[in-house]
Amino acid sequence: MPQHKILSFFFVISFVLALSAQNPVQAGEREGSAELDMLKAELMRLQKRVAELEAKQRAGASVAEDEHPVEPAENPELARQLQTLPKTAELVAKDTTDSKISLYSSLRPTYGYYDDGDSTYWDVEDALSNAGFKASKEFMPGWQVQMQGEWRIDIGNNGDFGGARRAYVALDSPYGRVAIGKQRPPQYLLIAEYVDIFNHANSPFAYDPEGLFFVNNLVSYQLQLGDITWMMAAQFDGERGSDSSDLINAGLGYDMENLHLGLSYLTQNIWGANQELGDDETWAGVLAYTFESGLYLAAVWQDKSYVRDLVLHDRSGHALDVSLAYPLAPHFRVKLGYFDFDDGDSSASSQSFDGFNATLEWLPADNLRFHIELLNRNYDYMGDFYSLLIGFRYDFSQEWQF
């Protein structure tokens, strides 16, 4: 498709713009080292000067009634030095902590009762436990390289470690952020994330059956312009699917105080039996707002077209997720959700459903959460599903700067 050639050209231009300003790096590093030494020396001199002036002021505390200690405003040189000191200290601190690395983990086991219409059972499951690391380095003012790796920990399946969620490297600059690897797509970051508030592996529930959470072989670009965020991404998987892009996803987000608005477009090639069957095209929008009372309300609507090469197989569907959260007390919160998924299939093989989620959380600490959850799915052509769960969540992170 012509879109693929345009997109490829766009990413090449983005990289050229981002990399063209890197020539001053070597000279900047030499100059930065000498400048840092000068800043440190200046900081020590100013600190010593201030200490001397304070000592003199203490020694002359027994002045006559018509005398008074020297104030900075009465001594222009002292005032200038005192004004310079915080800025000098800030520059020294910034230049000595331009690299960061952090380790983190989030364990989220659940236990409860399940009724899938055919059988009932008790089981221990997992609500997307994970562990990973982040690292970044600012190699010249405004330019930063970032990387992140994150993997799933499946507590419901022997506690197995594996299944990459994120694995990418990014270049962040005044011209935007370019990232390559497995990462979140715009469809999730601008849209679905705002209704993904529940302690469940299938949240958001209408978005989950066909929505994108992480995409491998992805090249993404993000640009922040005031309150507006523009994102664009494409998947290039040469091992399967198209020889060019297999997925294109673009969107805009608007954030102002407690309000978020988002709009995105997604087109994805669909393959089967080593041949292209057609495309899935999705338009999505989100509205999220936090009220002064602490009430959080968000809604996501997705309109999806299943465009197939055989016209008789064309169909259209939708997904609706509505999420609400409200603090009942300082350490308690209630969450409610309604969802409706329609895959456009009117046959008995349809997976269409609607339902609700009701959750009560106890949050004794910022990184600790306990919850009880009731979930119901009503399928159009299948048996209904119910679950009643209790769950724990413990988040850990540690960051180092050097």
Side-chain angles (χ1 to χ4, degrees), residues 121-300:
Y121 55 93
W122 295 80
D123 199 5
V124 171
E125 290 290 347
D126 181 82
L128 301 179
S129 299
N130 61 83
F133 70 89
K134 295 180 182 179
S136 65
K137 178 177 177 59
E138 186 176 33
F139 53 90
M140 64 181 186
W143 292 76
Q144 185 181 87
V145 63
Q146 305 165 345
M147 70 174 179
Q148 183 175 5
E150 181 179 298
W151 294 267
R152 181 176 179 181
I153 302 174
D154 192 355
I155 296 178
N157 186 25
N158 302 318
D160 292 343
F161 183 84
R165 289 159 55 93
R166 294 181 176 93
Y168 68 84
V169 175
L171 175 64
D172 194 6
S173 76
Y175 304 101
R177 181 178 183 271
V178 179
I180 302 176
K182 189 169 187 178
Q183 55 193 292
R184 296 279 198 189
Q187 188 84 351
Y188 181 86
L189 294 174
L190 295 173
I191 306 295
E193 184 174 28
Y194 293 87
V195 290
D196 190 5
I197 66 174
F198 297 99
N199 307 286
H200 200 286
N202 300 128
S203 171
F205 299 97
Y207 179 88
D208 175 71
E210 298 179 354
L212 302 176
F213 291 89
F214 302 95
V215 179
N216 59 5
N217 300 83
L218 194 69
V219 181
S220 68
Y221 177 76
Q222 177 177 337
L223 182 63
Q224 187 80 35
L225 299 172
D227 296 331
I228 297 177
T229 302
W230 178 61
M231 298 185 69
M232 188 172 187
Q235 183 186 42
F236 299 91
D237 189 349
E239 295 297 323
R240 56 184 177 180
S242 172
D243 292 333
S244 54
S245 62
D246 304 294
L247 172 153
I248 298 174
N249 188 195
L252 288 171
Y254 175 75
D255 294 273
M256 184 182 69
E257 297 180 350
N258 298 331
L259 173 69
H260 173 78
L261 298 172
L263 178 67
S264 72
Y265 171 75
L266 169 69
T267 178
Q268 183 176 11
N269 296 144
I270 302 301
W271 287 72
N274 295 321
Q275 63 178 352
E276 185 174 1
L277 303 179
D279 300 292
D280 286 350
E281 297 182 352
T282 305
W283 286 95
V286 61
L287 168 63
Y289 190 79
T290 302
F291 295 85
E292 292 183 0
S293 63
L295 172 66
Y296 175 78
L297 182 62
V300 167

Side-chain angles (χ1 to χ4, degrees), residues 1 13 24 47 61 87 117 130 142 145 149 177 204-206 211 233 255 290 316 318 324 326 386:
M1 295 185 294
I13 294 300
Q47 289 174 331
K87 184 176 181 181
N130 61 83
V145 63
R177 181 178 183 271
F205 299 97
D255 294 273
T290 302
S316 61
H318 69 261
L324 176 152
Y326 185 73
Y386 298 89

Side-chain angles (χ1 to χ4, degrees), residues 49-50 53 70-72 75-83:
R49 175 61 176 158
V50 171
L53 291 171
V70 176
E71 296 293 335
N75 188 331
E77 177 62 19
L78 176 59
R80 185 191 69 79
Q81 292 177 352
L82 289 176
Q83 290 176 355

